[in-house]
């Protein structure tokens, strides 16, 4: 039996984190691979118009946004695995429907059904069930990295697969990935002994009202909505700009995205480090939004050559990657103790809603005003976001912790007040039903000894 306080992840925890990260990656890969190709290859579908192609690009976000939180709540009642299996089967069915669709409406219906397999919350809850407190952040970071990596891979692999097998073949590959995800859950991911009610990784209905009234969180929710709306609208316009303005055949677009993503990934790293180390996250956020705004204006005014479009795309993805990577950290910092899971649920819903809005508006703008109107629309949305972001406060530089309580500590009615008195503790909440305390701490000021003594007054084990 492994030591419950070991600093190393156990074999089952490693399998859980790796397996669930792969499930996430395969599913998101299937979602993202159509982005760089649907605007160009979708024109060959019966009944296709730019507005309907935009709807097909963003359609998955509609059902994903509506069903994500309900699926998470259902998984608390009937179990994680049934929800995940059902969600992956729905996703596979949507992919098959899109693969067999010979009109744009068939692809739209498939994308809507793909989004209905909204398993994100259930997967994160299962990860919490399968990992110990001290390793949960690492395990969740692995899933975050898998999502980022799947997006990068999708931008390159999507055009290559479509060139080889057509749009229908791309959706068949997506369906196969969903089946592989089911096999990973069945044969690699361990079974959970307990089902945790965990406020750091799941939505707590009691915290929903306070989350929706929190102005700082709402600014970030609008931000991620705007970011993904701009991304989807840009992917209605950029592939078409590469063909119409730069004369680059659609079969060759993969190298543009590969170049942009590779340079963009490495270019964002110094800014992430600066934001965290120097505690200047607001400054970096405002800078990245401003760069995104400038990119859209650049595409509008100067994006008429291949060189200009490639340079603009590289800078665009640098800003996009920086925002995509840093905003979940801001949600974690700004959310109250015990409210991180709920805040992330609303944030993710906003993200998918943004994807839907962006695809729909991007297609509509292109149909009625051409490429210039899409880029101007994106620039206006970035400007509105910047105006909201300027008014946000510098976030507190704190880390969220969930501390299991000893029976004596859980019975202590004044524990929350005593936790708040510990140097470095910015916020605290005790949930008696979970026998757990949620605290927000500044790690540079925290008195760890005092904190540990409060949550477990008796020594946990003899010192060597």
């Amino acid at each position: 039996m492994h030591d419950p306080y070991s600093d190393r992840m156990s074999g089952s925890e490693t399998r859980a984190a790796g397996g669930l990260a792969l499930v996430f990656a395969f599913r998101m890969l299937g979602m993202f691979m159509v982005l760089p190709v649907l605007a160009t290859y979708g024109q060959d579908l019966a009944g296709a118009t730019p507005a309907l192609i935009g709807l097909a690009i963003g359609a998955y976000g509609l059902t994903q946004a509506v069903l994500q939180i309900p699926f998470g709540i259902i998984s608390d009642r009937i179990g994680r695995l049934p929800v995940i299996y059902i969600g992956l089967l729905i996703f596979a069915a949507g992919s098959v429907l899109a693969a067999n669709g010979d009109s744009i409406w068939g692809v739209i219906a498939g994308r809507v059904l793909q989004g209905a397999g909204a398993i994100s919350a259930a997967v994160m809850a299962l990860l919490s069930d399968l990992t110990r407190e001290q390793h949960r952040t690492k395990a969740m970071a692995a899933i975050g990295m898998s999502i980022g990596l799947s997006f990068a891979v999708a931008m390159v692999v999507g055009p290559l697969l479509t060139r080889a097998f057509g749009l229908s073949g791309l959706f068949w590959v997506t369906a196969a990935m969903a089946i592989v995800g089911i096999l990973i859950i069945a044969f690699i991911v361990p079974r959970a002994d307990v089902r945790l009610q965990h406020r750091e990784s799941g939505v707590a209905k009691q915290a929903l009202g306070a989350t929706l009234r929190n102005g700082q969180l709402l600014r970030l929710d609008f931000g991620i909505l705007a970011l993904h709306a701009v991304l989807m609208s840009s992917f209605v316009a950029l592939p078409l700009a590469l063909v119409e303005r730069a004369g680059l055949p659609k079969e060759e677009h993969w190298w543009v995205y590969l170049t942009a993503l590779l340079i963009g990934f490495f270019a964002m790293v110094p800014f992430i480090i600066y934001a965290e180390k120097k505690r200047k996250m607001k400054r970096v956020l405002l800078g990245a939004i401003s760069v995104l705004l400038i990119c859209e204006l650049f595409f509008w005014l100067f994006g008429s050559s291949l060189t200009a479009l490639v340079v603009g795309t590289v800078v665009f993805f640098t800003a996009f990657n920086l925002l995509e990577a840093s905003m979940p950290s801001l949600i974690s910092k700004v959310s109250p103790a015990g409210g991180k899971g709920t805040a992330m649920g609303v944030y993710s819903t906003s993200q998918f809603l943004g994807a839907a809005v962006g695809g729909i508006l991007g297609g509509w703008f292109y149909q009625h005003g051409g490429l210039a109107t899409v880029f101007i629309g994106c620039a206006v949305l970035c400007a509105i976001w910047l105006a909201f972001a300027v008014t946000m406060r510098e976030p507190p530089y704190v880390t969220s912790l969930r501390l299991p309580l000893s029976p004596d500590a859980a019975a202590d009615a004044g524990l929350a007040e005593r936790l708040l008195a510990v140097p470095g503790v910015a916020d605290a909440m005790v949930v008696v039903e979970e026998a757990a305390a949620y605290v927000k701490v500044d790690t540079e000021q925290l008195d760890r000894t005092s904190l540990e003594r409060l949550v477990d007054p008796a020594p946990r084990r003899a010192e060597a």
Side-chain angles (χ1 to χ4, degrees):
M1 214 174 138
H2 59 259
D3 178 355
Y5 301 109
S6 169
D7 289 332
R8 296 181 61 180
M9 291 180 81
S10 68
S12 65
E13 286 175 318
T14 304
R15 285 203 340 269
L20 292 174
L22 277 175
V23 170
F24 243 113
F26 283 143
R27 183 171 161 279
M28 298 314 285
L29 201 57
M31 290 287 195
F32 292 143
M33 281 197 300
V34 302
L35 292 189
V37 298
L38 208 47
T40 49
Y41 286 86
Q43 293 173 343
D44 299 330
L45 293 166
T49 66
L52 291 178
I53 289 173
L55 176 58
I57 288 174
Y60 81 94
L62 289 171
T63 40
Q64 190 86 17
V66 170
L67 294 174
Q68 174 165 259
I69 289 177
F71 268 38
I73 293 170
I74 290 168
S75 81
D76 287 337
R77 293 183 181 170
I78 69 170
R80 321 296 188 203
L81 292 179
V83 169
I84 294 170
Y85 283 134
I86 291 167
L88 287 170
L89 286 171
I90 291 172
F91 181 75
S95 301
V96 171
L97 181 60
N100 286 308
D102 53 4
S103 73
I104 188 65
W105 288 107
V107 172
I108 290 169
R111 292 284 281 170
V112 168
L113 194 55
Q114 277 186 329
I119 60 169
S120 303
V123 170
M124 296 303 273
L126 179 59
L127 187 70
S128 292
D129 296 344
L130 293 169
T131 51
R132 288 166 290 163
E133 295 293 338
Q134 66 267 40
H135 300 308
R136 199 159 289 135
T137 302
K138 283 185 283 187
M140 288 182 175
I143 284 185
M145 286 168 58
S146 77
I147 295 171
L149 189 61
S150 68
F151 178 78
V153 171
M155 292 299 101
V156 179
V157 172
L160 291 173
L161 283 174
T162 311
R163 182 170 71 173
F165 305 112
L167 202 54
S168 175
L170 183 69
F171 283 115
W172 281 115
V173 171
T174 297
M177 285 179 175
I179 301 304
V180 171
I182 290 171
L183 295 174
I184 290 170
I185 294 290
F187 297 109
I188 295 178
V189 176
R191 295 294 168 265
D193 297 326
V194 293
R195 194 188 307 160
L196 288 178
Q197 293 293 106
H198 196 302
R199 288 170 175 246
E200 293 298 272
S201 60
V203 172
K205 285 180 284 187
Q206 313 92 301
L208 208 47
T211 300
L212 294 172
R213 290 191 298 272
N214 186 313
Q216 297 301 303
L217 288 174
L218 288 176
R219 284 175 175 82
L220 294 170
D221 294 333
F222 177 78
I224 196 63
L225 185 151
L227 181 63
H228 278 258
V230 167
L231 176 72
M232 293 298 166
S233 290
S234 296
F235 268 108
V236 170
L238 277 176
L240 294 170
L242 288 169
V243 173
E244 294 175 14
R245 292 183 175 182
L248 185 70
K250 59 189 178 183
E251 295 81 10
E252 302 297 323
H253 288 191
W254 65 271
W255 69 260
V256 176
Y257 303 125
L258 178 61
T259 304
L261 284 159
L262 280 176
I263 296 174
F265 175 78
F266 289 107
M268 76 158 181
V269 172
F271 296 102
I272 293 278
I273 295 170
Y274 170 79
E276 289 287 355
K277 294 288 185 188
K278 301 292 185 182
R279 300 195 166 192
K280 298 288 185 185
M281 290 199 77
K282 181 181 175 181
R283 178 184 294 182
V284 170
L285 181 81
L286 294 178
I289 300 168
S290 301
V291 170
L292 214 58
L293 168 58
I294 292 166
C295 280
E296 296 296 339
L297 295 174
F298 177 83
F299 286 137
W300 168 42
L301 296 170
F302 306 108
S304 54
S305 70
L306 182 58
T307 303
L309 286 169
V310 171
V311 169
T313 305
V314 167
V315 178
F316 175 91
F317 273 113
T318 302
F320 174 82
N321 288 341
L322 179 56
L323 289 162
E324 184 82 349
S326 60
M327 287 177 71
S329 173
L330 282 166
I331 288 281
S332 179
K333 287 173 167 53
V334 170
S335 59
K340 179 182 166 186
T342 307
M344 283 303 299
V346 175
Y347 173 86
S348 297
T349 299
S350 304
Q351 175 180 325
F352 290 120
L353 193 58
V357 169
I360 293 165
L361 286 182
W364 192 85
F365 282 151
Y366 178 73
Q367 183 163 320
H368 294 279
L371 291 172
T373 308
V374 180
F375 294 132
I376 292 169
C378 288
V380 169
L381 186 53
C382 289
I384 294 169
W385 179 13
L386 187 61
F388 275 111
V390 164
T391 63
M392 72 178 276
R393 295 192 293 269
E394 188 72 42
Y397 288 86
V398 291
T399 302
S400 300
L401 298 176
R402 180 183 186 273
L403 305 169
L405 299 177
S406 68
D408 289 344
D412 182 354
L415 179 60
E417 287 79 3
R418 274 192 280 284
L419 287 169
L420 283 168
V422 174
V425 174
D427 194 8
M429 176 187 191
V430 174
V431 183
V432 178
E433 313 91 78
E434 295 181 30
Y438 293 90
V439 295
K440 311 275 288 193
V441 301
D442 184 332
T443 52
E444 292 183 5
Q445 300 175 14
L446 180 63
D447 181 347
R448 290 183 180 274
T449 306
S450 298
L451 185 64
E452 288 171 6
R453 195 179 296 125
L454 279 175
V455 298
D456 192 356
R460 294 190 294 199
R461 57 179 177 174
E463 294 297 324

